[in-house]
Amino acid sequence: MTESHGGPRPGPAGSDGEPVYAERVYRSVPGVISGVLLLAVAAWLIGDAALNGSGKTPWVSLAAVPVFVLPVIAYTLRPAVRADERRLVVRNPLRTIVAPWAAVDALRAGYSVELLAEGKKYQVWAVPVSLRQRKRAARARERGGQTHSSRLGMVFGAGGTPSGVGVQGSTDPNRAWSDQVVGVLQDMAERNASRPDAAGPIEVRWCWWIIAPTVAGLIALITVIAV
């Protein structure tokens, strides 16, 4: 599957003369697809067990719903990165990190993408790193700068719709997708850090709507099996 990497198009110039961009949204398309497939299979298996099972089977299957479904949503559908002129929002499986640009020290892509802010390190789940993709990009550069098509992620413009054919603002379209995204976000951090509305502390919010029901479902599942 070939994926698009376009970012939002620039709008009218802002007060500082720089073009104003809509919010950028980055997420892993293979992750979303795998999550949808897992949920479809789970719905079929759990539904069949609940309707046709005997004894404790229907109750066990129903109790297992939050234990399986919510973690799948958390680790496949939920991760995303949103960036605008004021801040970077990293939505990981179990928590969300809101980082005003002035608080961002750096973004880097090693074996995983990391956000460094206020002396702390946060993983960025929505932008996976592929060593195979990096090797493919290096071969493309060696062949004379052929356009490299990424296969691990997609950039969504404002509203979550695919846009364009390259990571908007990337200086080297022949890099791996994760490296392009990190480059664009790092550039946004450096460009916007001095904005008055881009200041403030890091905010970390736990995703309790996933954590609490999952724990409750696990307790219910153990209880149903034990009784």
Side-chain angles (χ1 to χ4, degrees):
M1 178 181 63
T2 301
E3 296 157 355
S4 169
H5 301 286
R9 298 181 182 276
S15 58
D16 57 359
E18 292 295 325
V20 177
Y21 290 92
E23 181 183 59
R24 302 175 189 271
V25 183
Y26 303 90
R27 60 171 18 112
S28 169
V29 170
V32 173
I33 293 174
S34 63
V36 171
L37 293 177
L38 284 172
L39 292 175
V41 172
W44 174 56
L45 294 176
I46 293 174
D48 181 69
L51 295 175
N52 302 318
S54 58
K56 294 194 298 184
T57 300
W59 300 107
V60 170
S61 62
L62 292 175
V65 170
V67 177
F68 180 80
V69 171
L70 291 177
V72 168
I73 292 174
Y75 284 90
T76 61
L77 305 183
R78 175 177 154 78
V81 172
R82 297 177 180 273
D84 58 24
E85 292 183 316
R86 296 172 48 245
R87 63 185 186 177
L88 175 68
V89 179
V90 177
R91 198 169 68 190
N92 283 339
L94 299 181
R95 62 180 181 173
T96 299
I97 299 95
V98 181
W101 289 119
V104 174
D105 298 324
L107 288 113
R108 64 188 184 192
Y111 291 105
S112 63
V113 174
E114 298 172 339
L115 164 65
L116 306 178
E118 294 184 344
K120 296 182 179 180
K121 180 172 65 177
Y122 304 93
Q123 299 295 319
V124 181
W125 283 73
V127 186
V129 171
S130 170
L131 298 181
R132 179 185 300 177
Q133 191 179 105
R134 284 177 174 170
K135 293 178 180 178
R136 192 161 55 237
R139 289 196 297 269
R141 289 195 299 270
E142 291 173 357
R143 289 196 299 266
Q146 299 176 17
T147 300
H148 172 60
S149 296
S150 166
R151 296 186 180 181
L152 263 186
M154 178 180 288
V155 176
F156 289 80
T161 56
S163 171
V165 296
V167 174
Q168 183 71 33
S170 175
T171 58
D172 184 2
N174 290 314
R175 290 189 297 170
W177 177 73
S178 58
D179 296 331
Q180 289 189 58
V181 172
V182 169
V184 171
L185 294 178
Q186 181 65 42
D187 180 68
M188 291 182 70
E190 295 171 357
R191 186 172 64 246
N192 296 311
S194 60
R195 293 175 59 94
D197 57 354
I202 296 289
E203 181 182 352
V204 178
R205 299 193 296 260
W206 289 94
C207 187
W208 292 110
W209 69 267
I210 287 179
I211 297 172
T214 301
V215 173
L218 181 60
I219 294 173
L221 179 60
I222 295 173
T223 302
V224 171
I225 293 175
V227 172

